[in-house]
Amino acid sequence: MPALIRKYSEYLSVTDATPVVTLGEGDTPLLPAPALSRQVGAEVYLKVEGCNPTGSFKDRGMTMAVSKALESGGGAVICASTGNTAASAAAYAARAGQDCLVLLPAGKVAMGKLAQAVLCGAKVVAIKGNFDQALEIVRLLSKQYPVAMVNSLNPYRIEGQTTGAFEIVDQLGASPTYQAMPVGNAGNISAYWAGYQRYHDAGRMKRMPKMLGFQAAGAAPLVLGEPVSDPETIASAIRIGNPAGWRTAIEARDQSGGLIEMVTDEEIVAAYRDLGRQEGVFCEPASAAGVAGMLRLGRQGYFNPGDTIVCILTGHGLKDPETALSVSPEPLALPADSAQVATHFGLER
Ligand SMILES: *Cc1c(COP(=O)(O)O)cnc(C)c1O
């Protein structure tokens, strides 16, 4: 398998001289979702980005950002993160032999993501503040010091993430009618839209999909039309009050004829559990926001029977086991006795 950014190099700023830093990212499953399809009355697919090497779509952007940082001389990379950017940056920087500096909002990062970043040797500090404040510090430091910012303000991150759109078209054999996804810092929705435009211009697909973005109700600046100073939601990956990709996300919405709406934490948790129980897919809470939004539109009769909808499941459920356990019943403790276990499960001969 060639590295993701070699496979799609004709669409990316990659030359034969680029030292490609890869961990085997991309080529993630596009999984049909029969239960969700029945519920919304259209053909639903799940793009399972949790199958990337560090368990989120951030790896598509990070392979580009770290490869280009290495090409231009190396040195340290730096990022602010709600968790997944840190996990990805730490892994790709380690692979490249670069230092990785990470700023996290203190006490607000899912356990699995923090574990990944520290194990891969990132230098992590917890900022007493939120993600938006951490990002502001990273922007300043990357201007004042020779460190490469690998947040989605880095154009190579966005470029790498366009490969998600290429893959969907290659896997479906056409573009979907709709794409549903969570929106936090709004880099990914911008990247997907750029990717579809690029593939369309190259004659690889005919019809542009409509982009359906969903923010959490407690962190919905794009829906409210103004920054949110204290963003709050169970979906920590989209707990962002002032998205860096604001303008391009609105463009993606308007140029595609799509929408950006908000979903409540209750809707997110319901979709999160449904994905596990009905489709056997364990994603992280933020990823379920896109599915929650799609389900609501489905109930409103938004979709038609011939439509195809791709939901981007942005990150793996194992990143945030605490949330999974907090919304699930605790296992009953029983003595090691087969009769009692059989009775508990209601087994009959
Ligand atoms: C980063 C992230 C998002 C949000 O993506 P943006 O590009 O910031 O909008 C959503 N879900 C997961 C799991 C993420 O890691």
Side-chain angles (χ1 to χ4, degrees):
M1 265 302 283
L4 176 69
I5 61 177
R6 284 255 176 265
K7 180 176 173 197
Y8 289 114
S9 61
E10 65 182 294
Y11 305 106
L12 305 171
S13 310
V14 181
T15 69
D16 290 344
T18 308
V20 171
V21 182
T22 179
L23 290 168
E25 59 289 328
D27 201 20
T28 58
L30 185 70
L31 196 67
L36 290 171
S37 297
R38 277 193 299 276
Q39 282 177 63
V40 302
E43 206 177 320
V44 179
Y45 294 86
L46 305 172
K47 183 67 170 157
V48 188
E49 290 290 279
C51 291
N52 277 299
T54 77
S56 86
F57 74 83
K58 300 296 198 296
D59 295 343
R60 294 181 183 277
M62 209 54 75
T63 179
M64 264 307 281
V66 172
S67 297
K68 295 303 282 188
L70 198 59
E71 185 173 10
S72 66
V77 300
I78 188 167
C79 64
S81 179
T82 61
N84 281 333
T85 296
S88 186
Y92 283 83
R95 189 77 182 185
Q98 289 168 294
D99 276 341
C100 179
L101 316 179
V102 169
L103 279 70
L104 303 172
K108 298 283 190 181
V109 171
M111 189 171 63
K113 304 175 187 182
L114 182 58
Q116 290 177 285
V118 294
L119 186 103
C120 288
K123 295 176 181 159
V124 180
V125 294
I127 297 292
K128 292 172 188 153
N130 59 32
F131 169 83
D132 303 282
Q133 292 167 312
L135 181 58
E136 199 44 50
I137 295 172
V138 165
R139 288 166 95 143
L140 280 175
L141 294 182
S142 66
K143 279 191 195 124
Q144 293 168 347
Y145 300 91
V147 288
M149 175 174 58
V150 294
N151 281 102
S152 55
L153 289 157
N154 179 326
Y156 296 122
R157 271 280 308 278
I158 300 295
E159 232 190 75
Q161 288 171 214
T162 62
T163 60
F166 306 159
E167 257 176 37
I168 287 172
V169 175
D170 291 345
Q171 288 170 314
L172 267 183
S175 50
T177 325
Y178 295 96
Q179 177 173 306
M181 64 194 303
V183 176
N185 212 23
N188 209 29
I189 191 170
S190 309
Y192 266 99
W193 182 241
Y196 285 123
Q197 284 177 314
R198 188 78 185 80
Y199 238 34
H200 186 263
D201 292 348
R204 302 294 302 262
M205 54 183 259
K206 294 201 179 72
R207 180 196 56 191
M208 293 298 282
K210 290 183 168 50
M211 306 296 284
L212 310 175
F214 296 95
Q215 301 204 284
L222 297 178
V223 183
L224 303 173
E226 59 184 12
V228 173
S229 52
D230 280 312
E232 202 35 82
T233 167
I234 193 170
S236 57
I238 54 172
R239 193 185 284 145
I240 293 175
N242 192 11
W246 194 306
R247 186 181 53 80
T248 45
I250 297 296
E251 270 173 26
R253 178 194 71 186
D254 294 345
Q255 292 175 3
S256 74
L259 51 79
I260 298 178
E261 292 186 351
M262 56 188 180
V263 287
T264 64
D265 277 11
E266 289 70 33
E267 289 177 293
I268 291 172
V269 168
Y272 175 55
R273 299 171 77 198
D274 282 355
L275 278 162
R277 289 164 185 226
Q278 299 178 8
E279 304 289 4
V281 176
F282 182 25
C283 65
E284 65 173 281
S287 310
V291 174
M294 174 194 71
L295 285 171
R296 186 201 304 146
L297 292 175
R299 287 193 297 275
Q300 295 168 348
Y302 187 83
F303 302 111
N304 293 309
D307 291 342
T308 50
I309 311 166
V310 172
C311 297
I312 313 297
L313 295 189
T314 46
H316 202 290
L318 285 174
K319 288 190 170 261
D320 190 0
E322 287 168 322
T323 300
L325 291 173
S326 76
V327 302
S328 307
E330 218 177 296
L332 181 73
L334 284 179
D337 176 84
S338 66
Q340 284 191 49
V341 173
T343 305
H344 171 67
F345 286 134
L347 299 179
E348 287 171 37
R349 259 188 262 277

